[in-house]
Amino acid sequence: MKRVMGIINLYENEALIQEITEHRPLAAVPFAGRYRLIDFILSSMVNSGIQNIGILVKNKSRSLMDHLRSGKEWDLARKRDGLFILPAAHTIAGAGKGNGDVENFQHNLDYIESSRQKYVLISNSHTICNMNYRKVFQFHENTGADITIVYKDQDPGSDDFTGCTMLETTEDGRVVDLAVNPAKYTSSKVSMDMYLMKKELLVDIISGCYARGGVDFLKDGLIKNLDRLKIYAYQHRGFVARINSVASYYRHNMDLLKPEKWQELFVKSGLIYTKVKDEAPAKYKENAKVSNAMVANGCIIEGSVENSVLFRGVKVHKGACVKNSIIMQKCEIAANAIVENVICDKDVMITTGKWLKGDQTYPLVIEKGTVI
């Protein structure tokens, strides 16, 4: 896998999750108690042996850069290769129309062309999985494909596929059709937006798109060239969670309270790494009642917590009740307050005696730093 470089493309649709992404990119959204979404794709790439990873940022990147720092936690703070932040086109003086990811690729082609790897693996950050890309690379070489797309076979009624790309393939796995956000599903093969190809082919596609006014890598680079390119599809059979809306964010966090889901994501295919913070273990005081909850370091619990995810440094005071909720870093639930089916962003303060209740299909989101 030393012949493969990774590119994490953060040009992602955040329209349905704006309540949580107003102050941060989708890649930096907290998930599963102590992680950020980008941790999963970064860890999968590193665990697969990829040592050179570029992150194509879009905007609001400060929190992401604070989380990644030098890349040390992912063993990417290296003298050779390592972690690279690739700035968006509109941050470069005199450039940038903000139309799509092709422009961002184009303005970072020098990094791609000068890398010593022969192949490139492109992925987004909002598709959560724990995958060994060695198997994808082996499949790519065996089929002799120009491009390999990773997909998950799922019942269209089993999840929210808004904005997803559906694949149709022949019996031998060759892709014959790609449909972005179709009105009617004619296939159960859902693209995970992960593409493996030779680096020189990527450069050729990007240069061709940019020269002809193309703006979108998938639509203008792949779909318009589907007849010319030999594209095959590789099926991933493990855990997959797509975070494309507030509802999906809430649902997939809650799913990880099921031991079998948690083990499939965190145990079966390698460790998931994140930014290290040295904090004391969670403290459960005399009156604490906790059941089926994910509680991170630094939390202090005096009230009751049920079916919930608590990030680092959360305080639940005496008589307070947290049920079916996601409470992000350094939130405080004061005495006798009740929150149910709620997502509290960072640094939220729920004062004494307040009652907040959302619905499991439409959770109530409290913005970062709010005092109620």
Side-chain angles (χ1 to χ4, degrees), residues 31-45:
F31 187 77
R34 68 182 65 209
Y35 301 91
R36 305 292 181 116
L37 294 189
I38 199 169
D39 292 339
F40 296 90
I41 179 61
L42 261 183
S43 299
S44 291
M45 285 185 173

Side-chain angles (χ1 to χ4, degrees), residues 28-252:
V29 168
F31 187 77
R34 68 182 65 209
Y35 301 91
R36 305 292 181 116
L37 294 189
I38 199 169
D39 292 339
F40 296 90
I41 179 61
L42 261 183
S43 299
S44 291
M45 285 185 173
V46 168
N47 289 338
S48 300
I50 297 175
Q51 298 178 345
N52 182 19
I53 299 176
I55 299 178
L56 205 60
V57 299
K58 183 181 177 185
N59 52 25
K60 301 177 289 185
S61 56
R62 186 195 57 77
S63 61
L64 180 68
M65 294 175 72
D66 175 62
H67 178 70
L68 297 173
R69 299 184 291 188
S70 66
K72 179 182 176 182
E73 280 82 358
W74 298 268
D75 194 25
L76 290 171
R78 295 168 173 266
K79 291 182 179 178
R80 196 175 187 187
D81 294 332
L83 184 69
F84 294 86
I85 301 295
L86 307 178
H90 63 266
T91 65
I92 300 173
K97 300 174 184 176
N99 291 328
D101 54 356
V102 165
E103 193 172 30
N104 285 355
F105 274 110
Q106 174 68 24
H107 285 283
N108 289 286
L109 271 190
D110 55 341
Y111 160 74
I112 298 170
E113 290 181 299
S114 62
S115 68
R116 60 194 179 97
Q117 287 77 22
K118 184 178 180 180
Y119 295 88
V120 57
L121 174 68
I122 301 170
S123 176
N124 61 37
S125 73
H126 69 272
T127 302
I128 295 174
C129 63
N130 190 348
M131 187 186 304
N132 186 341
Y133 290 107
R134 292 184 179 91
K135 296 178 181 177
V136 182
F137 186 72
Q138 190 65 51
F139 175 87
H140 183 77
E141 290 208 313
N142 290 343
T143 57
D146 293 325
I147 299 172
T148 295
I149 301 177
V150 183
Y151 75 95
K152 174 77 174 178
D153 202 333
Q154 287 183 282
D155 178 2
S158 67
D159 203 349
D160 178 9
F161 294 131
T162 302
C164 289
T165 302
M166 311 302 289
L167 283 68
E168 288 196 23
T169 66
T170 59
E171 288 186 358
D172 66 348
R174 181 159 183 171
V175 177
V176 294
D177 192 25
L178 288 165
V180 179
N181 199 22
K184 183 179 180 182
Y185 299 115
T186 58
S187 167
S188 59
K189 297 173 180 175
V190 187
S191 171
M192 294 171 63
D193 297 329
M194 299 175 182
Y195 313 98
L196 178 64
M197 68 192 80
K198 286 183 177 176
K199 182 179 68 178
E200 60 185 24
L201 177 59
L202 174 64
V203 172
D204 181 59
I205 290 172
I206 295 300
S207 300
C209 275
Y210 191 72
R212 294 169 180 80
V215 296
D216 188 277
F217 171 71
L218 173 61
K219 294 176 182 175
D220 298 314
L222 301 190
I223 294 178
K224 289 184 178 178
N225 292 305
L226 196 56
D227 294 334
R228 182 174 68 87
L229 297 170
K230 188 179 175 184
I231 301 178
Y232 276 78
Y234 172 87
Q235 182 178 2
H236 173 62
R237 302 179 186 277
F239 178 91
V240 174
R242 292 178 186 78
I243 309 299
N244 54 9
S245 65
V246 171
S248 65
Y249 173 77
Y250 176 81
R251 184 173 65 256
H252 290 304

Side-chain angles (χ1 to χ4, degrees), residues 250 323-325 338-343 355-365:
Y250 176 81
K323 184 177 181 182
N324 303 330
S325 296
I338 298 176
V339 295
E340 183 174 355
N341 304 324
V342 171
I343 299 173
W355 287 32
L356 300 176
K357 185 173 182 180
D359 189 90
Q360 291 197 12
T361 58
Y362 199 85
L364 176 64
V365 179

Side-chain angles (χ1 to χ4, degrees), residues 231-336:
I231 301 178
Y232 276 78
Y234 172 87
Q235 182 178 2
H236 173 62
R237 302 179 186 277
F239 178 91
V240 174
R242 292 178 186 78
I243 309 299
N244 54 9
S245 65
V246 171
S248 65
Y249 173 77
Y250 176 81
R251 184 173 65 256
H252 290 304
N253 265 288
M254 291 294 120
D255 277 350
L256 292 179
L257 295 175
K258 302 171 184 172
E260 66 276 11
K261 295 281 188 182
W262 188 90
Q263 290 184 6
E264 190 171 1
L265 179 59
F266 287 100
V267 177
K268 287 187 176 179
S269 298
L271 298 175
I272 302 296
Y273 308 101
T274 189
K275 180 180 179 181
V276 174
K277 290 185 178 179
D278 297 323
E279 288 183 292
K283 182 185 289 184
Y284 301 92
K285 294 199 171 181
E286 185 178 355
N287 296 312
K289 294 180 180 177
V290 180
S291 63
N292 193 34
M294 192 181 296
V295 180
N297 293 359
C299 291
I300 300 175
I301 313 296
E302 292 182 90
S304 68
V305 179
E306 180 182 352
N307 297 325
S308 296
V309 178
L310 272 56
F311 288 73
R312 290 164 166 150
V314 171
K315 295 178 181 176
V316 180
H317 290 270
K318 189 175 181 179
C321 176
V322 178
K323 184 177 181 182
N324 303 330
S325 296
I326 299 168
I327 312 296
M328 295 190 196
Q329 300 94 309
K330 298 180 180 177
C331 288
E332 191 165 348
I333 314 299
N336 301 317

